[in-house]
């Protein structure tokens, strides 16, 4: 690891606290001049590092640059490989490629500040502008079959809710299957993709893609999603995206271990009891959502008063 990376790790782990040049040089086993050089490079990259005579250097609390070093400070599973990009095509694409090419550990993640080709369910675009959100993909070896893949999405939904509550103080609702809502607006989308063994039906690996709208983009959301999309925080309300990314992964690794769909997934769901639109291949129809079963399927009553069970349908709360 370079001196710059090690310095960033130290500053991020004690954000807001002054660390003396002497102490930093001792810990990094370099000269004080080398510490100063690394500080200068980090500042050029946008890090707000304060320097005070007799006190040393401190990374400002409001600094919110996504970095591998900072995410790792909060990650419980230290074996995981972490890659962070300021701009990338899509974290899911890169993670899937890495998963095929390298044997990365369970819980490895790719995170980005912006994506140029973010995708959601059914190949839909996922708007991923810079400095507004958090976009990440996590690699799992889930010991589940394809039939149980809904459990992974449910685990991710619960994990994000808990992490957002812990890091941002905001409580989100889950819209079956894979969206998170705040006050009737979608603020997060989750996409689980898996590679399975055809013969056994076992999942070889899964990539869980999570896109969070933390703030409304400066130019507003694009016309086509403006009515539906929302943000978790008001601009100006600070958060630490590095901590949030790590907390999501920490919670996801715990949740994905558990068998079945957690009761929290069902409790947090905002769909039961509402009239919803269900989109099929060609048509769309309105049904009443009754409840989410223990296996995660949604029980609905159709227009003819008949009960139906939905597995993976695309549903809308707007009818
Ligand atoms: C959806 O709303 O249908 C799911 C959206 C999933 C978006 C995330 S952002 C990180 C990862 N990279 C992608 O291209 N998609 C997922």
């Amino acid at each position: 690891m370079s001196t710059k990376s090690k310095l960033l790790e130290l500053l991020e782990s004690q954000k807001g606290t002054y660390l003396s040049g002497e102490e930093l040089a001792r810990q990094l086993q370099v000269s004080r001049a080398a510490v100063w050089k690394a500080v200068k490079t980090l500042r050029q990259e946008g890090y707000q590092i304060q320097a005070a005579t007799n006190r040393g250097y401190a990374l400002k609390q409001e600094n919110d640059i996504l970095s591998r070093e900072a995410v790792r400070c909060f990650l419980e599973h230290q074996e995981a490989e972490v890659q962070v990009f300021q701009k990338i095509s899509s974290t899911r694409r890169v993670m899937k490629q890495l998963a095929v090419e390298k044997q990365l550990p369970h819980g490895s993640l790719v995170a980005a500040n912006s994506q140029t080709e973010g995708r959601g369910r059914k190949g839909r675009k996922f708007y991923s502008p810079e400095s507004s959100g958090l976009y990440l993909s996590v690699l799992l070896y889930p010991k589940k079959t394809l039939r149980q893949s809904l459990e992974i999405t449910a685990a991710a939904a619960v994990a994000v809710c808990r992490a957002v509550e812990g890091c941002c103080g905001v409580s989100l609702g889950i819209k079956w299957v894979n969206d998170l809502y705040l006050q009737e607006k979608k603020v997060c989308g989750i996409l689980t993709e898996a590679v399975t063994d055809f013969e056994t039906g076992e999942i070889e690996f899964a990539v869980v893609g999570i896109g969070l709208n933390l703030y409304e983009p400066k130019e507003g959301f694009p016309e086509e999603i403006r009515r539906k999309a929302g943000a978790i925080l008001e601009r100006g309300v600070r958060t630490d995206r590095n901590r949030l990314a790590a907390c999501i992964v920490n919670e996801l690794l715990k949740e994905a271990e558990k068998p079945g769909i957690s009761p929290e997934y069902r409790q947090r769901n905002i769909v039961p009891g509402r009239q919803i639109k269900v989109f099929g291949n060609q048509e769309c129809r309105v049904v009443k959502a009754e409840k989410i079963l223990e296996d995660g399927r949604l029980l609905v009553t159709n227009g003819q008063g008949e009960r139906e069970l939905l597995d993976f349908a695309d549903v809308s709360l707007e009818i």
Side-chain angles (χ1 to χ4, degrees), residues 305-317:
E306 298 153 349
R307 298 258 162 128
E308 277 180 46
L309 274 173
L310 306 181
D311 274 354
F312 275 109
D314 206 9
V315 303
S316 164
L317 298 178

Side-chain angles (χ1 to χ4, degrees), residues 88-93 110 112 115 117-128 134-138 178-179 186 188-193 207-212 228 314:
I88 197 175
S89 58
S90 154
T91 61
R92 65 179 262 278
R93 186 188 287 174
V110 175
Q115 301 182 121
E117 289 168 53
R119 287 285 177 273
R121 285 180 87 191
K122 308 214 160 147
R124 284 188 287 252
K125 276 189 183 166
F126 189 82
Y127 186 57
S128 321
L134 174 62
Y135 316 102
L136 70 152
S137 291
V138 187
N178 65 328
D179 291 335
K186 173 170 169 173
C188 171
I190 297 166
L191 178 69
T192 306
E193 295 168 284
V207 172
V208 182
I210 299 165
L212 282 152
K228 203 169 123 185
D314 206 9

